[in-house]
Amino acid sequence: MGRTVPAQGRMPFVTLFDGGAGDGPAQVKMIVAYDGTEFSGFAHQPNQPHVRTVGGVLAQAIGKILRHDVQLACAGRTDSGVHAWGQVVSFPSEPGLDPWRLQTAVSSMLGPEIVVRAAELAPPTFDARHSAQWRQYRYTIVNRPVADPFRDRFTWWVPEPLDLRALRLAADPFVGEHDFASFCRRGPEGSTTMRRVLASQWVDEGDGVLRYEIRATAFCWQMVRAIVGTLVEVGRCERTVDDFARLLVAKDRTRAGPTAPPHGLSLIAVAYDGILAGPQ
């Protein structure tokens, strides 16, 4: 007899606890993908219950399945409209929890808008945010005269021709440890805009699709979108590569270009102990 699949949004009928799944304290670690279009970012807004966020919806679903509230830690607090393929979340586990069954139950409730791509039990000291070694974001641009309605939800359409060689040259100086004040919104008093970038490159997928990949130990608020918005000005020949390099030294957000739209950005991967989290 086939397994009954619950209707979307209904409480799945699964047994989540199994004595063979481990009987000590642990953290549940989940790799989550989501379409961020209809969400006001990831971070839960407990003082604004009518604001729909990825973290709030996900925590509510997990809490309904486990029958108790959960507090999620996440690797990257994505902004409104930003997507994820490799977001990582964690929360304390009760003994004996079967992560695969929880993964299936959550995805049945929330998919396809939010899906859990993988789940496992991690050591009790694991924290999705503080244990991460690096994060990788991807920004995708459709650079053609005519927009693509099938890609529009996840890409930025730039109709003007972009100089790919200039884009690549301008992206190179980011690698290393720098003050990214020219590309970050002002954070709380006492916060720093120093960040260490491990990789910064453009990939030509063909057919006018350009992909910017940036990997860093951490990012500041809207950093990737500010970088992309300014890089596009270089690609349009509105700035020179030398002008762009001087922006790092300027440490002045008003000197850089506009913030690129959120829908072209995705959190792609997070690494722990040098290993990418979850299936790629």
Side-chain angles (χ1 to χ4, degrees):
M1 181 180 294
R3 183 176 179 180
T4 302
V5 178
Q8 185 183 37
R10 291 186 181 177
M11 180 69 174
F13 294 96
V14 295
T15 301
L16 290 171
F17 295 92
D18 184 343
D23 55 8
Q27 290 277 324
V28 176
K29 173 184 176 185
M30 289 179 162
I31 317 301
V32 182
Y34 49 85
D35 175 352
T37 305
E38 303 299 331
F39 292 100
S40 297
F42 184 93
H44 180 41
Q45 306 290 338
N47 296 325
Q48 301 181 64
H50 300 297
V51 175
R52 190 167 183 258
T53 67
V54 177
V57 169
L58 183 59
Q60 184 178 40
I62 295 171
K64 184 180 293 186
I65 294 166
L66 298 182
R67 295 181 172 84
H68 64 76
D69 292 341
V70 296
Q71 298 293 323
L72 299 179
C74 71
R77 290 183 292 180
T78 52
D79 288 338
S80 297
V82 175
H83 318 289
W85 174 250
Q87 174 72 277
V88 181
V89 303
S90 62
F91 62 92
S93 163
E94 295 183 15
L97 177 68
D98 185 330
W100 183 85
R101 290 172 180 166
L102 179 60
Q103 171 188 348
T104 303
V106 173
S107 294
S108 296
M109 289 181 69
L110 302 182
E113 194 175 36
I114 301 175
V115 297
V116 179
R117 297 176 49 232
E120 63 180 350
L121 295 181
T125 56
F126 178 82
D127 182 279
R129 179 185 177 191
H130 297 294
S131 301
Q133 289 186 324
W134 52 256
R135 292 100 169 142
Q136 182 164 327
Y137 281 86
R138 172 180 299 164
Y139 199 100
T140 307
I141 290 175
V142 171
N143 188 214
R144 306 174 190 155
V146 178
D148 185 339
F150 291 98
R151 290 181 177 264
D152 185 67
R153 199 172 177 94
F154 303 99
T155 62
W156 180 19
W157 174 49
V158 179
E160 304 88 357
L162 297 177
D163 183 337
L164 182 58
R165 181 176 178 274
L167 289 175
R168 285 173 166 162
L169 288 173
D172 286 344
F174 286 128
V175 177
E177 188 164 354
H178 307 285
D179 188 335
F180 282 87
S182 290
F183 301 97
C184 296
R185 288 188 61 172
R186 186 181 299 276
E189 187 174 352
S191 62
T192 178
T193 49
M194 291 293 297
R195 295 291 186 271
R196 183 159 65 94
V197 172
L198 307 175
S200 170
Q201 62 180 355
W202 285 90
V203 177
D204 185 355
E205 292 189 356
D207 198 26
V209 179
L210 304 177
R211 198 175 78 224
Y212 178 59
E213 304 275 355
I214 183 167
R215 178 184 300 175
T217 54
F219 293 87
C220 51
W221 192 11
Q222 297 189 346
M223 174 175 157
V224 181
R225 291 166 56 199
I227 287 173
V228 172
T230 313
L231 281 169
V232 165
E233 291 187 335
V234 174
R236 287 171 170 153
C237 301
E238 297 170 1
R239 294 178 185 263
T240 68
V241 173
D242 290 339
D243 289 340
F244 196 87
R246 285 192 284 268
L247 288 174
L248 277 174
V249 180
K251 303 176 186 177
D252 182 354
R253 182 66 187 92
T254 64
R255 298 274 298 276
T259 303
H263 57 272
L265 183 63
S266 298
L267 174 57
I268 292 298
V270 184
Y272 300 88
D273 297 324
I275 301 172
L276 286 179
Q280 302 309 302

